[in-house]
Amino acid sequence: MRPVILLTVRPVESDFRYPLASELNALGHPAEYIFLKRQPLVTDMATGTIETWSLGGLFRHFAGLRRRPADRRPVVFNSTNLAFPWTSIGLRAVSGTRWCLDMHDELLYGATGWQRAKMATAQRMLVAQSDMIVHASPSLAALFPTSHHIGNASSLAMRPKVDPDPLRVLVLASIDDRFDFDALAEGARVAADHVFEVHGRIQRDDDANRARLEAICAERPNVRYMGPYSDATLPDLLSHYIVSFAPYRTDTALTEYIDPLRFYHCLASGVGIVSTPIAQARRMSDRITLLCDIADLPTKLAEAAARPVSAARSWRDVAQAVSRLIADLR
């Protein structure tokens, strides 16, 4: 099967696309996983060997790919967001490879002014030089009509629950401008007999959102910030909960185009979900309990805790979809 290079700007331990590279390799696509930075880290997915290269060495490696017959050159799955656009374009030019652009989100992320113009230019360049585009949330098809839906997934599995308590609620989140702090505060008030344990990362320079969360924790003793989590700690973390609350803002485009990995991780781990009605939660309403009125949170949490939970999809499912798309590239 055709080789694959997955190009990313995220380290292995925090990259949601790493399981996709692993599954593509397991399906028979010889895969390389490249963490693109000033000294790229290159992982051979078959052996697990990791090498540190220079950018010059990376370009020489890609230039050497042009010597292969066209049908034996790797397909490059470009998941570098809008970082290093000229590097991506240069690597494609020297290698003669086919490129698939990973639109896993609306990559402008609410930027404004000059920053938005610069990011939009980078996005247009990457779209123009790609042979194929794939997207996660189906909402992104409106922005990229020729792209293919592959979605997100989880590689986690069910584990026995440790001291399950339906009144202990997991809030698994990125603490940023997509997070509905008002919903968390009011939810903690109306569901005062529940304890809300917030796990998630706050960016080091995001003083405003850090202060908002700290204020809620100070005002509501039943809200506790537990700190960031990692992919490695997720299985154990999720084994301690049977229900979760996803307070996403519904008044911003920032949540219109997301396909939250947390939905898939919770479902794969047997954790029921109550979510504010963002687009992806509405699409998954056969598995996710929607919260349209914060006053209903206690009732919705009880419903979600009692609702049968099963995994939505695995990274093997996504890899099979990508494999079919790769087979169609000539």
Side-chain angles (χ1 to χ4, degrees):
M1 301 180 79
R2 199 160 181 178
V4 174
I5 294 175
L6 196 147
L7 200 61
T8 180
V9 288
R10 298 170 293 270
V12 168
E13 58 271 15
S14 61
D15 190 5
F16 61 93
R17 287 307 192 214
Y18 185 79
L20 175 58
S22 180
E23 292 292 351
L24 284 168
N25 190 79
L27 287 175
H29 295 278
E32 285 182 319
Y33 173 91
I34 300 178
F35 176 18
L36 184 60
K37 53 180 183 172
R38 289 181 180 177
Q39 289 189 306
L41 295 180
V42 181
T43 302
D44 182 327
M45 298 303 298
T47 64
T49 303
I50 302 176
E51 296 182 356
T52 301
W53 292 0
S54 65
L55 275 176
L58 183 66
F59 269 88
R60 287 192 293 274
H61 175 65
F62 269 72
L65 299 176
R66 187 176 282 277
R67 293 193 292 268
R68 299 183 187 180
D71 61 351
R72 292 179 56 195
R73 295 173 193 162
V75 172
V76 180
F77 190 91
N78 185 11
S79 189
T80 57
N81 297 354
L82 301 179
F84 310 117
W86 287 110
T87 300
S88 294
I89 291 169
L91 290 171
R92 185 182 188 277
V94 301
S95 64
T97 49
R98 295 292 194 177
W99 281 57
C100 173
L101 181 61
D102 180 20
M103 295 299 300
H104 58 83
D105 202 343
E106 197 280 306
L107 299 179
L108 303 183
Y109 293 121
T112 58
W114 167 244
Q115 180 68 14
R116 184 177 183 87
K118 184 171 69 171
M119 293 172 69
T121 299
Q123 182 168 277
R124 284 194 297 272
M125 291 193 310
L126 290 172
V127 167
Q129 67 94 52
S130 297
D131 299 287
M132 179 172 64
I133 304 171
V134 295
H135 62 263
S137 168
S139 299
L140 287 162
L143 302 180
F144 304 96
T146 62
S147 63
H148 303 269
H149 175 250
I150 61 169
N152 281 328
S154 176
S155 57
L156 301 183
M158 296 280 185
R159 290 178 56 168
K161 295 298 177 182
V162 179
D163 300 324
D165 182 355
L167 298 182
R168 189 163 164 250
V169 181
L170 170 65
V171 181
L172 195 67
S174 294
I175 316 301
D176 55 25
D177 290 342
R178 297 170 294 184
F179 190 88
D180 193 333
F181 294 92
D182 292 338
L184 176 63
E186 182 61 12
R189 186 189 71 80
V190 300
D193 57 341
H194 292 67
V195 174
F196 296 83
E197 297 185 340
V198 182
H199 295 259
R201 185 174 303 280
I202 307 173
Q203 293 297 324
R204 186 176 302 175
D205 59 350
D206 193 354
D207 295 333
N209 284 329
R210 185 183 303 277
R212 294 185 73 182
L213 182 58
E214 289 175 348
I216 293 172
C217 292
E219 181 182 353
R220 299 290 172 193
N222 62 330
V223 178
R224 303 168 182 169
Y225 177 50
M226 312 300 287
Y229 64 91
S230 67
D231 288 350
T233 63
L234 266 178
D236 181 67
L237 189 161
L238 289 163
S239 70
H240 289 80
Y241 298 93
I242 61 173
V243 67
S244 66
F245 177 38
Y248 286 104
R249 288 174 56 190
T250 57
D251 60 348
T252 174
L254 288 173
T255 57
E256 177 66 24
Y257 302 105
I258 61 174
D259 186 12
L261 288 161
R262 295 160 187 87
F263 288 171
Y264 300 95
H265 291 326
C266 286
L267 292 171
S269 302
V271 179
I273 305 169
V274 176
S275 176
T276 50
I278 62 170
Q280 188 62 17
R282 295 196 303 271
R283 292 188 195 97
M284 298 176 68
S285 60
D286 59 328
R287 298 172 182 271
I288 292 174
T289 301
L290 298 180
L291 177 71
C292 299
D293 185 338
I294 196 67
D296 295 332
L297 183 57
T299 301
K300 297 295 186 179
L301 288 170
E303 288 179 10
R307 187 175 188 173
V309 179
S310 61
R313 58 208 304 258
S314 69
W315 282 115
R316 174 58 63 94
D317 297 327
V318 178
Q320 288 171 338
V322 172
S323 182
R324 289 191 292 270
L325 292 171
I326 289 172
D328 291 338
L329 275 178
R330 302 294 179 219

